Amino acid sequence: MSKIYFTLTGTKYYHGNEFLKPGMKLKLKKEPDNKFDKEAIVVKKEGLGEIGHVANSAHTVIGESMSAGRIYDKIGDTAKAKVVLVTPHGTICSLSKKSLIDNKHKKMEEAVDE
């Protein structure tokens, strides 16, 4: 399984991105009730709370990183990630492989229960 990268965006509306450093651990949480984006995924940092969102627009996704829409069904309600690269245009993060594996097992268990 190859690494999945995504862009953290919107940090300027929270705490900025000056505090972000490579290796920093983050938590993702789906926001199905978000009135602007039904595939919204908020990004949180322990001790700070919300720090931004997973980019979900061609204008905010950097390079070939994945949008929120592309990773939404690959994770459960929450997932773990870490910062890889901080740029003035956004922050590139990698999704934890364990988050993907846990979600895959959960989906298989749900299918068996049906």
Side-chain angles (χ1 to χ4, degrees):
M1 184 182 327
S2 62
K3 287 194 177 227
I4 294 179
Y5 297 97
F6 64 89
T7 304
L8 165 60
T9 192
T11 57
K12 65 183 177 184
Y13 300 108
Y14 297 91
H15 306 283
N17 69 351
E18 294 79 19
F19 70 94
L20 294 168
K21 305 285 181 234
M24 190 174 279
K25 295 179 182 180
L26 306 173
K27 184 175 180 181
L28 280 57
K29 184 170 183 342
K30 289 181 178 178
E31 285 187 315
D33 297 331
N34 185 299
K35 63 182 179 178
F36 301 107
D37 183 356
K38 66 181 180 184
E39 297 172 320
I41 302 172
V42 68
V43 180
K44 298 180 177 189
K45 171 72 180 119
E46 188 174 329
L48 287 177
E50 294 183 11
I51 62 168
H53 282 82
V54 175
N56 205 21
S57 153
H59 301 289
T60 55
V61 173
I62 296 175
E64 295 181 20
S65 64
M66 290 194 175
S67 64
R70 290 182 62 200
I71 67 171
Y72 198 86
D73 291 333
K74 295 180 183 338
I75 63 173
D77 291 335
T78 63
K80 294 180 181 179
K82 70 178 178 179
V83 174
V84 176
L85 177 68
V86 181
T87 77
H89 304 290
T91 301
I92 304 295
C93 304
S94 64
L95 196 57
S96 160
K97 285 185 182 181
K98 187 172 181 351
S99 293
L100 296 170
I101 293 167
D102 288 348
N103 187 52
K104 187 176 182 180
H105 288 259
K106 184 177 176 182
K107 284 185 176 185
M108 287 192 306
E109 288 173 3
E110 289 172 356
V112 170
D113 291 342
E114 291 178 353

